[in-house]
Amino acid sequence: MTVLREPSDIDTAELPAPLAEFGEQIEVRVSPAADGKGTELAARRRDLPSSGTAVSRLNGSDPLADLRSALRRAKQLIEVGEVLAVDPAPHGKRTATPGGVLLEAWTRVAPRAGVR
């Protein structure tokens, strides 16, 4: 993930809380991004070598979904100092259109799976 900060601004010993929660379960790598455009921040689980399948990502059972979510939140903390959140969807009864059903399904897995 590219973070809009200099590599020297990111201390792998003092990771943002979303990544620090993983403790010794993850390895974190920080390197300069291409063309000097920020910093590449990479994290991988030590105990899970594979990222799962496309099907597991779509149905929300991907074992690395939590790590991807933590990376996105860490990026926001590093860049702007807080995790940005979208206002929740309005509650109530909605007409079950095919597009609405698909949108609801994507919304349920989005916090863990990220933007699609």
Side-chain angles (χ1 to χ4, degrees):
M1 171 170 295
T2 302
V3 179
L4 299 176
R5 289 281 185 256
E6 292 298 319
S8 60
D9 294 342
I10 301 171
D11 181 9
T12 56
E14 296 288 328
L15 293 171
L19 290 176
E21 291 173 2
F22 283 93
E24 293 295 317
Q25 294 177 337
I26 62 170
E27 274 180 38
V28 177
R29 180 178 46 85
V30 175
S31 59
D35 296 326
K37 296 181 180 179
T39 300
E40 292 295 322
L41 177 64
R44 73 177 188 91
R45 295 275 306 255
R46 295 176 195 260
D47 57 340
L48 295 173
S50 172
S51 65
T53 64
V55 172
S56 68
R57 289 179 93 175
L58 289 174
N59 71 18
S61 65
D62 182 11
L64 295 179
D66 291 335
L67 181 56
R68 278 194 298 278
S69 177
L71 267 171
R72 285 189 304 278
R73 288 179 289 149
K75 172 187 170 80
Q76 292 176 20
L77 285 169
I78 292 168
E79 290 180 347
V80 298
E82 65 181 303
V83 176
L84 306 174
V86 177
D87 290 335
H91 298 285
K93 182 108 172 109
R94 296 181 216 174
T95 306
T97 63
V101 170
L102 183 60
L103 179 61
E104 292 294 327
W106 284 112
T107 303
R108 276 193 301 277
V109 298
R112 293 189 55 184
V115 178
R116 298 191 190 272

